[in-house]
Amino acid sequence: MPPNDSIKEILKTIPKLPGIYIMKDKAGEILYIGKAKSLYSRVRSYFTESRDHAPRTRIFVRKVADIKVLTTKTEQEALILESNFVKKHQPRYNVMLKDDKHYPYLRLTTQETYPRLEVVRRVKKDGATYFGPYTMVREVRETIRLIYKIFPLRQSSDELDGNAKRRPCLNYHMKRCLAPCAGLVSPEDYARVVNDVILFLKGKNSELLDSLKAKMADASEGQRYEEAAVFRDKIDAVNTVLDKQRIISTSMENQDIVACYTEAKATMVQVLIVRNGKMLAEKLFKMNNPEEEPDAETLASFLKQYYADETLFPSEILVSHDLEDRELIEDWLSEKRQARVKIEIPQRGKKRQLVQMAEENARFAMRAELDKGDVATRSLEELRETLGLKNFPKTIEGFDISNIGGTHAVGSMVYFHNAKAEKSKYRRFKIKTVDGIDDYAMLTEVMTRRYARLLDENKPLPDLILIDGGKGHLSTGYRVLQSLELEERIDLACIAKGKFRTNLDTDEVFLVGRKDSVSFKENSPSRFLLQRVRDEAHRFAIDYHRSLRGKNALKSPLQDIPGIGKKRHLLLLKTFGSLENIKHASLEDLQQLPGVTAPLAKKIKDAVNV
């Protein structure tokens, strides 16, 4: 696409250096962030008609109104900077890693004289030894439980220097701790236990078994049979763990196997974690891939984002597709690891089978994700067809009014996206302009406040509004939409309790301009969805109403009296003991307090006697 005059001027200023480029639209929103060995050549290539650009590229290039660049000394530095900026700004047209959670690690504090274990979410360069990552907290807890069962490692978090701090705890008497907190074990003897724990966590169970068997034989020869029995039980426990581990490779490599599967503008990335030839864990990630970019580009984006914060790396990464920046990414990871990291695309043999396993798992995960979403999609499609809606009801906002007894009137709005509640977008309204009981006026206030604000802030409107109520509520809601000129842009419906209010089957759904209620199929998922939106709006309104009533019940009548501030309020209660005593006090008694005049004393009596 040829550039406009503004972009032409920007292109003239771009240097022939490595770095990153940031493309923005007219509103200043970042569209895309990329890295380049030569910024000059790379950025200009986007605006060359002869280039055969991908559909995604053609779309966002049309929107580019500004380009910023940041230069670096090397292309590798540019790659790191690109990874950091993409993660921070999450541009719309970059392939984004959605699941950015930090998996748990086990941290063994080997920088201390008497190391201990703890669970952490981040790896730091602090001298400790880290193991993991573990994909489930349950997995971590089971590992810790086994360690404390097999090895007498301390469980306290005290800072120990070999001097006694306290008497031995119960774990010592159960022979599950050597009591370093009581000064009963030397650092050298404790270090032997720590070394066995490290072998166990590294999966080097063959070496650990040899060590335990030697200790058992030594104890047996010395006729320390109880001690020998302890080592025997530990050997059994380690063998149990060994049986559960799956041998993947006899060459004992440390590998990550990474493969992806793309469908429906999303990509599932499966990571299999192999350490010392054993499959230890797996991770699954979902990536936003709006234009279904090629898997090679998706994998490159994933690796840069996934390893950006990692400090523990395998020596080998097996991937399903070749990468444009493979050598550059290898160099970057090798520098982070301070040892060689190799990226391979195996074509045959055992390694290819591992990649195929990861590909198959990614495909299964995507099918499960799509099948899960199909139920929601079907219910929304049925809802559009049954109600004859103008819009596909991807977003639904439901309203309810609560004014029990005419007091503390409130309105609620719930938000559903793709048939799922998004509670962070719920809103509640305290009625400000309506006195007494008038549901229609209250609904008018709430809806007007909601949609006037969305229009003022230029924010997205819902596809469908659902009101908890009957035809009168529906007419009221429609008048609000007409006043804001939204009646052609937003669909509107209401849901009312039917003949038998406790029977959901008698609920009725009404539309504007339609006399009779809408007929749904038996066990219709779209009808269940509307009932769920209505019930959630009602629950949210009632909760807010109760909250306001509860706060009011705790409010003292003295707080509403002009001239009674916080200090005088406390002084009254402290002097008389309770509101009941103030009620029975004379005007003269009240005037004995500093600052309480005759008129103020009368106001106090009037307030407490209401």
Side-chain angles (χ1 to χ4, degrees), residues 94-99 259-270 284-295 298-299 362-363 365-370:
N94 282 85
V95 181
M96 289 304 304
L97 175 59
K98 296 182 75 175
D99 186 355
C260 66
Y261 180 77
T262 300
E263 189 174 340
K265 296 187 177 182
T267 298
M268 286 293 185
V269 181
Q270 178 74 65
L284 185 67
F285 298 87
K286 185 177 180 181
M287 299 188 75
N288 179 31
N289 191 355
E291 301 302 324
E292 296 193 11
E293 288 302 313
D295 286 342
T298 302
L299 274 181
R363 189 178 299 110
M366 177 61 78
R367 292 315 316 163
E369 180 78 8
L370 294 176

Side-chain angles (χ1 to χ4, degrees), residues 369-381:
E369 180 78 8
L370 294 176
D371 289 345
K372 183 172 66 178
D374 279 349
V375 176
T377 303
R378 284 197 298 270
S379 67
L380 293 174
E381 287 174 346

Side-chain angles (χ1 to χ4, degrees), residues 94-276:
N94 282 85
V95 181
M96 289 304 304
L97 175 59
K98 296 182 75 175
D99 186 355
D100 192 28
K101 59 191 173 190
H102 292 279
Y103 287 89
Y105 291 82
L106 281 177
R107 177 175 181 261
L108 186 61
T109 60
T110 46
Q111 79 279 18
E112 296 181 344
T113 306
Y114 294 97
R116 56 189 173 83
L117 267 181
E118 62 181 353
V119 180
V120 296
R121 293 277 178 177
R122 292 183 182 274
V123 176
K124 299 178 182 178
K125 293 183 178 180
D126 54 6
T129 304
Y130 291 84
F131 303 92
Y134 298 88
T135 54
M136 292 181 291
V137 174
R138 183 183 65 190
E139 190 181 353
V140 178
R141 287 175 181 159
E142 176 65 16
T143 302
I144 291 176
R145 188 189 67 79
L146 275 170
I147 287 171
Y148 287 147
K149 179 180 178 182
I150 299 171
F151 309 104
L153 198 71
R154 74 180 177 109
Q155 299 182 36
S156 66
S157 58
D158 303 309
E159 292 186 9
L160 303 179
D161 56 9
N163 296 317
K165 284 186 175 268
R166 63 169 71 86
R167 290 183 301 173
C169 67
L170 182 61
N171 284 326
Y172 172 77
H173 296 293
M174 294 172 64
K175 301 190 184 302
R176 289 196 171 186
C177 182
L178 299 176
C181 57
L184 298 183
V185 60
S186 68
E188 294 76 21
D189 288 340
Y190 191 85
R192 295 188 187 96
V193 174
V194 172
N195 185 60
D196 285 344
V197 171
I198 291 173
L199 290 175
F200 179 78
L201 287 171
K202 283 185 173 180
K204 296 181 178 179
N205 291 319
S206 298
E207 294 178 40
L208 176 59
L209 284 173
D210 291 341
S211 172
L212 292 174
K213 287 175 182 176
K215 291 174 183 177
M216 182 178 71
D218 181 65
S220 181
E221 288 172 9
Q223 297 184 348
R224 302 188 306 276
Y225 299 116
E226 288 186 10
E227 185 180 337
V230 170
F231 286 119
R232 179 202 61 204
D233 293 342
K234 291 180 179 182
I235 290 168
D236 290 342
V238 172
N239 278 324
T240 301
V241 173
L242 204 58
D243 289 341
K244 291 180 180 178
Q245 291 179 331
R246 180 179 178 183
I247 299 294
I248 291 293
S249 171
T250 55
S251 56
M252 306 303 284
E253 299 107 330
N254 288 340
Q255 300 167 314
D256 282 353
I257 298 95
V258 186
C260 66
Y261 180 77
T262 300
E263 189 174 340
K265 296 187 177 182
T267 298
M268 286 293 185
V269 181
Q270 178 74 65
V271 181
L272 304 179
I273 299 169
V274 176
R275 297 294 181 265
N276 297 305

Side-chain angles (χ1 to χ4, degrees), residues 452-459:
R453 180 168 184 173
L454 290 186
L455 289 171
D456 288 343
E457 297 178 356
N458 197 28
K459 289 185 176 179

Side-chain angles (χ1 to χ4, degrees), residues 334-388:
S334 298
E335 186 173 307
K336 284 173 73 74
R337 182 177 179 246
Q338 296 184 339
R340 187 65 185 160
V341 176
K342 188 177 181 182
I343 298 176
E344 283 191 40
I345 310 95
Q347 302 300 315
R348 62 182 67 85
K350 187 69 175 179
K351 290 182 179 180
R352 177 57 193 161
Q353 291 174 15
L354 287 173
V355 171
Q356 287 175 332
M357 182 194 303
E359 286 177 322
E360 193 67 19
N361 279 281
R363 189 178 299 110
F364 283 146
M366 177 61 78
R367 292 315 316 163
E369 180 78 8
L370 294 176
D371 289 345
K372 183 172 66 178
D374 279 349
V375 176
T377 303
R378 284 197 298 270
S379 67
L380 293 174
E381 287 174 346
E382 182 191 282
L383 184 62
R384 182 180 189 179
E385 182 180 345
T386 305
L387 299 186

